[in-house]
Amino acid sequence: MSLRELYQEIIIDHGKTPRNFGKLPEANHQLEGHNPLCGDRLTLYLFEENGVIKAVKFEGSGCAISMASTSLMTESVIGKSLTEINRLAEQFHHLALTGDAEQADLGKLAVFSGVAEFPMRVKCATLAWHTLKSALSNQTNPVSTE
Ligand code: ZN
């Protein structure tokens, strides 16, 4: 199996069976995100304590890329500080725009390196991260990629 096929398998798996899907009653940050171009919608629930993300869940619907990206994002940020998350978000945006996974320690998030070849899908992949950053800066207006 090529790396590209492996990446596709991971995206399909997380797209079909998103991790951390559901409500989070103890959430102290909550925000909706919307990508009108594709119809992706999500609500992100975060429980943050002393600047560290202790728990994340989400609800929503959308294409496989947006669901997989949100699922993998939730797995990537649990236990991380807000500083680490901001750095990860920047690295992820760079990856989605350029396909360059070399410099970053993105782990499984590297599966989205192929998205750069499909500019229409970049917003599907980055919606979760836009919503995450806005939720952590205590914005209350829903995030839109447009
Ligand atoms: Zn989408």
Side-chain angles (χ1 to χ4, degrees):
M1 187 185 284
S2 71
L3 192 59
R4 195 188 177 95
E5 287 168 335
L6 174 67
Y7 283 179
Q8 275 172 0
E9 291 252 314
I10 294 173
I11 290 173
I12 290 165
D13 173 37
H14 278 261
K16 274 188 189 158
T17 318
R19 316 304 195 265
N20 301 306
F21 195 87
K23 286 195 194 314
L24 187 68
E26 70 267 38
N28 52 16
H29 300 270
Q30 175 179 335
L31 196 62
E32 288 170 36
H34 184 205
N35 172 17
L37 262 187
C38 180
D40 309 315
R41 285 181 175 278
L42 61 92
T43 305
L44 198 58
Y45 305 99
L46 304 162
F47 176 59
E48 175 235 325
E49 199 173 47
N50 302 322
V52 174
I53 298 297
K54 302 284 183 158
V56 192
K57 284 201 165 195
F58 77 102
E59 293 181 309
S61 60
C63 67
I65 301 261
S66 71
M67 289 293 104
S69 175
T70 312
S71 172
L72 284 154
M73 181 277 284
T74 62
E75 285 193 333
S76 310
V77 299
I78 291 173
K80 288 206 166 66
S81 71
L82 302 192
T83 312
E84 289 171 315
I85 287 168
N86 277 325
R87 192 171 57 226
L88 202 55
E90 275 173 31
Q91 290 178 335
F92 186 81
H93 280 115
H94 179 76
L95 173 83
L97 289 171
T98 65
D100 172 21
E102 294 294 316
Q103 33 85 298
D105 45 353
L106 285 164
K108 264 195 198 172
L109 296 173
V111 300
F112 293 100
S113 56
V115 166
E117 292 169 43
F118 307 96
M120 291 285 292
R121 312 320 294 272
V122 169
K123 285 175 178 169
C124 302
T126 54
L127 174 65
W129 291 89
H130 284 303
T131 310
L132 173 70
K133 286 190 72 170
S134 298
L136 289 174
S137 53
N138 294 315
Q139 289 183 39
T140 50
N141 292 330
V143 171
S144 174
T145 54
E146 293 307 300

